[in-house]
Amino acid sequence: KICSLKSSLKGRGQQGNVQPFSDEDSSIETLSHCSSLSERTSAAEEAGETEEMAQEDFQYKLKVYIDSTVDKSAKTRQGALDGLKTAMATKILYEFISERRMTITDSIERCLKKGKGVEQCAAASLACLLCIQLGSGIESEEVFKTLKPVFKTILNDGAANIQARQACATSLGLCTLVAEDDIMDVFATMECFESLFTHSYIREDGSRPSVNPQTTQLHTNALLSWALLLTICTGSHIRVIAQKHLSKLPRLLENDNVNMRIAAGETIALLFELIRDEFDYDDWEPLCEQLNALATDCNKHRAKTDKRKQRSVFRDVLKAVEEGDFQSETIRFATERMVIDSWVKKRTYDAFREFVGSGMNYHLQANEFIRDVFELGPPMLIDSAALKAMKSSRLERHLYNAAAFKARTKARNKFRDKRVDVGEF
């Protein structure tokens, strides 16, 4: 049996040419695994080094921009301000900026005082972005204490550049919201805005004030900033304001400028939302008639785009005044979503978006201060692989958009002949 087993094994070895597993083969396989592991490790290290180099290059550019804000050339200063604005609008730079906040503040102050027109506008916008980056705290308060007197001086100076005054009206409102630590100072800033936009009120005798379009835009910006600060006022102060202004704000609805009419309508809706159950308004029916007229405006002397924008806004304003209703809107960013379900939230969101622009979704996702304002909680940490897996494919998005477009077209065609404003044709 043993002989037969040996011959059997010998035959199998000759037929299959089987060789025993040697220590040399084991060492080769081990080296192969180590080689692939080292390749992956080196690739990860290279990616990390590349990212670190890119970050260093980016910070170097920012330092150059900061240094260039004090250059003798106005064009160079303008380019530096725009570069800093773009960086702050699209990235979170708290650590880098926090160390250099007073240097940047001094540059902004210098550009506001000595610059002209466009440079002053850029500096005012940069001040807001700086406060947004720093958030609500001691650091932004220091910045604002330096810049607030400059903002107010330009805003109240009738001889100053009108574009600079418009920019300061908007920037002063948002910086006050973010960085002001005393509610009495907030009320004082609101009175500063009131001294501007009340000049556009139609007088008691029905006569219209003579205001040029640029000044009207200044008054519009002041009104929007005033409404923004209204969202953080105490209930008792809001009642005082409603008593003083709610009967006069409808006069702005007769303004020739569509932006002023819209700003006035949204401010009225905001006031009604804040004091609906605490204040009796006597002229409610005339106001609703006026809002309905603007929601169905067909005047031929007005541009079609202005009428379209106006009708859309005033339909929502009319619902807010009549029914206390708000047309909610959902903002999606990364894997999260935020519902804008009130006029207070809408005014706040619009104010931040005006400065952050296309970077708003990124700030909603990563900026702790803005997330705190909108009660979104701490930032969610999601790696790029998980985020990519959650995204729909390009074909899926295309099919969804095509279906939505088709449904929207059918719905519009169905009601196209039943619109209220067919009279303009």
Side-chain angles (χ1 to χ4, degrees), residues 45-64:
E45 289 176 353
E46 286 178 4
E49 289 175 1
T50 303
E51 185 177 348
E52 187 177 346
M53 288 176 63
Q55 182 67 14
E56 289 177 358
D57 289 344
F58 178 70
Q59 290 188 356
Y60 175 76
K61 286 182 181 178
L62 292 179
K63 291 175 184 177
V64 172

Side-chain angles (χ1 to χ4, degrees), residues 93-142:
L93 304 169
Y94 174 79
E95 292 183 3
F96 179 85
I97 288 174
S98 179
E99 299 171 355
R100 302 166 176 81
R101 63 184 184 279
M102 296 317 298
T103 303
I104 299 173
T105 302
D106 291 341
S107 297
I108 292 171
E109 183 182 12
R110 189 180 294 104
C111 291
L112 285 171
K113 287 181 175 180
K114 297 184 178 181
K116 296 181 181 179
V118 179
E119 183 181 338
Q120 290 176 300
C121 294
S125 297
L126 182 60
C128 282
L129 289 166
L130 179 60
C131 287
I132 291 172
Q133 288 279 345
L134 295 173
S136 184
I138 296 175
E139 294 171 330
S140 59
E141 288 170 12
E142 289 177 349

Side-chain angles (χ1 to χ4, degrees), residues 176-193:
T176 302
L177 178 79
V178 176
E180 187 60 83
D181 60 342
D182 188 345
I183 191 64
M184 299 308 296
D185 288 338
V186 173
F187 298 156
T189 300
M190 291 180 72
E191 289 177 359
C192 178
F193 291 136

Side-chain angles (χ1 to χ4, degrees), residues 159-179:
N161 182 278
I162 190 65
Q163 291 179 338
R165 296 179 71 197
Q166 292 170 2
C168 287
T170 305
S171 297
L172 178 60
L174 187 62
C175 287
T176 302
L177 178 79
V178 176

Side-chain angles (χ1 to χ4, degrees), residues 3-18:
C3 290
S4 63
L5 179 60
K6 286 182 177 179
S7 62
S8 161
L9 290 173
K10 187 177 180 181
R12 289 183 187 176
Q14 290 172 349
Q15 290 174 7
N17 198 22
V18 177

